[in-house]
Amino acid sequence: MADLSTLARPYAKAAFDYANENGAVNEWENFLFVASAIVNDKAFRTWLENPAVTAEHKSAALVDLYDSQVAGDSDSAFKQLLGESKGSRYGNSISYPKVSPALNNFIKQLAQQERLALLPEVYEHYRRHKAISLKQLDAYVTSAYPLTDAQREMLQTRLAASLNASVVIHESVDPSLLAGATIKVGDKITDDSMRGKLQQLKTQLTA
């Protein structure tokens, strides 16, 4: 049996192609992000797997949750989570549209084919399609100390120039690196940390 990622690919491509052609890329991405978080909840996933619950009920539950918790006027944890995913501290103050008929139909189709559990994988593939379309790459930077604004700007400029693409930096801190940083873009990892250099020196000395 194919793995979940493989099963999700055609759904993600169909979703992105439609959204891209109809100027709704961000709208669909927002919904898929929140729906993925919901589906990853253990209790909700157990409910999804209940054969007594109809496909129509399952799809309606996801859409209703999004419309009420994200597209609604009131503050919510989902809206805050979505805002944080966009790099905004003001997730609850942003206005999000309700689920469109086309997106609603897409979710209904997933439910009818018993594929709602694939939503986290669909979301990840959808993001990749968007990144390729925008020529945008994710760079995962792990540094010994938090980056300063100047360091972040310089790093982003250099990466964008070397990769010939727009770069989104995702930061994390690992003091065990001692100094410097590691940078991961796709499958390529650049280790410019002090720990990495010491390990390299040790390997050379013991070779």
Side-chain angles (χ1 to χ4, degrees):
M1 181 179 177
D3 61 26
L4 296 181
S5 181
T6 300
L7 290 172
R9 283 195 184 102
Y11 295 104
K13 186 178 187 309
F16 180 79
D17 286 348
Y18 177 88
N20 194 35
E21 290 172 6
N22 291 273
V25 171
N26 290 336
E27 175 190 339
W28 282 56
E29 181 183 16
N30 290 342
F31 176 84
L32 291 172
F33 172 79
V34 173
S36 297
I38 296 171
V39 169
N40 275 329
D41 178 78
K42 186 177 180 180
F44 191 88
R45 186 176 283 265
T46 299
W47 180 78
L48 278 182
E49 295 170 353
N50 185 346
V53 182
T54 65
E56 184 178 0
H57 192 181
K58 292 173 182 178
S59 62
L62 275 173
V63 171
D64 289 345
L65 269 172
Y66 185 88
D67 282 349
S68 62
Q69 298 297 313
V70 178
D73 295 330
S74 60
D75 291 348
S76 73
F78 286 125
K79 189 179 289 187
Q80 184 64 42
L81 183 66
L82 182 55
E84 290 173 356
S85 78
K86 303 298 179 184
S88 170
R89 299 178 182 177
Y90 309 104
N92 285 333
S93 65
I94 300 174
S95 176
Y96 298 101
K98 289 191 174 184
V99 174
S100 66
L103 180 49
N104 193 8
N105 286 337
F106 175 73
I107 298 303
K108 284 182 178 179
Q109 289 178 19
L110 286 179
Q112 289 166 0
Q113 296 171 26
E114 298 184 351
R115 291 291 190 253
L116 287 177
L118 292 178
L119 277 168
E121 286 76 22
V122 170
Y123 169 68
E124 290 303 326
H125 283 298
Y126 184 97
R127 287 184 65 245
R128 292 189 187 102
H129 283 298
K130 179 184 176 182
I132 292 170
S133 174
L134 296 174
K135 207 172 183 183
Q136 176 177 291
L137 297 174
D138 291 313
Y140 296 88
V141 179
T142 303
S143 54
Y145 301 96
L147 297 177
T148 64
D149 290 341
Q151 289 172 328
R152 186 180 301 107
E153 183 177 353
M154 180 180 68
L155 180 60
Q156 190 161 31
T157 300
R158 288 183 176 178
L159 286 173
S162 64
L163 297 170
N164 191 30
S166 172
V167 175
V168 177
I169 293 180
H170 304 270
E171 301 174 41
S172 60
V173 175
D174 181 0
S176 71
L177 294 179
L178 303 177
T182 63
I183 303 171
K184 181 176 183 294
V185 180
D187 296 329
K188 182 179 180 181
I189 299 177
T190 301
D191 190 345
D192 194 32
S193 67
M194 179 63 72
R195 184 180 68 186
K197 291 177 180 178
L198 289 173
Q199 183 61 45
Q200 195 173 48
L201 178 60
K202 179 181 178 181
T203 301
Q204 292 172 351
L205 292 173
T206 57

